Amino acid sequence: MTERRMRSAGITLGLTALMAASLTGCSSGDQPDYAAICVDPQTQTRTDDDECKDEREYHGSGAGFFWFYMATRGNGYVPAVGSRYNAGQGTYTIPRTGSGGSGSPTIRRGGLDRKGGDIGTITRGGFGKSGKGSSGG
C-alpha cells in the first residue's frame, strides 16, 4: 500500500515537472525572431496591418504598403499606428536567418499593439503577454 502511494506521488511529481518544463519552453519558443509592422515607406509611418496584403519587399521605389521587419530581441520600439517609425531599427527585406545569425527565423507579421510600445510585449494566445518578463498590460 505504501509503495503504491509512493509510486503515485512519483508519477504526479514527474507529470508536474514535465508540464512546468513544457510551459517554460512554450513561453520562450513563442517569441518570434522578427515582428513585422505594416508601413508606408513614402511617409515612414506605421499603418493598419490590413493594408499589407502580401509579402512584397520594398526596394526603395514603388507605392503601397509593405512589411517592415524588426528583431524582437534588441529592445526595439514599435510606433503607434499613424506614427513615424525609425527605419534604422529594421529592414524591408524578409529576414532569411534567425536574429542570432543562424537557422530559419520565425516571423510574425502584424498583431502588435496598435498603441505602440516595447516590441518584446507581443501578445500570444493562451499565455498572455511576454518578453522581458512582462506579464500584461
Side-chain angles (χ1 to χ4, degrees), residues 24-40:
T24 300
C26 287
S27 65
S28 63
D30 285 346
Q31 181 75 12
D33 292 323
Y34 293 91
I37 57 173
C38 187
V39 301
D40 179 351

Side-chain angles (χ1 to χ4, degrees), residues 14-133:
L15 287 174
T16 301
L18 182 62
M19 288 295 292
S22 67
L23 288 175
T24 300
C26 287
S27 65
S28 63
D30 285 346
Q31 181 75 12
D33 292 323
Y34 293 91
I37 57 173
C38 187
V39 301
D40 179 351
Q42 301 300 317
T43 61
Q44 292 193 339
T45 57
R46 181 180 175 195
T47 63
D48 285 326
D49 294 340
D50 294 340
E51 300 293 341
C52 287
K53 307 244 184 282
D54 55 36
E55 297 176 10
R56 294 178 302 147
E57 293 182 350
Y58 180 71
H59 297 286
S61 64
F65 303 100
F66 299 85
W67 291 111
F68 183 75
Y69 302 92
M70 303 169 67
T72 60
R73 292 172 176 83
N75 297 324
Y77 176 78
V78 178
V81 171
S83 298
R84 290 180 63 96
Y85 60 94
N86 182 350
Q89 289 185 332
T91 178
Y92 297 104
T93 304
I94 298 171
R96 306 284 188 240
T97 58
S99 60
S102 63
S104 297
T106 55
I107 300 171
R108 179 179 176 149
R109 292 177 180 86
L112 298 172
D113 193 340
R114 292 180 45 84
K115 294 181 274 184
D118 188 339
I119 197 170
T121 55
I122 295 173
T123 302
R124 289 184 220 134
F127 296 106
K129 294 188 175 190
S130 69
K132 298 179 185 172

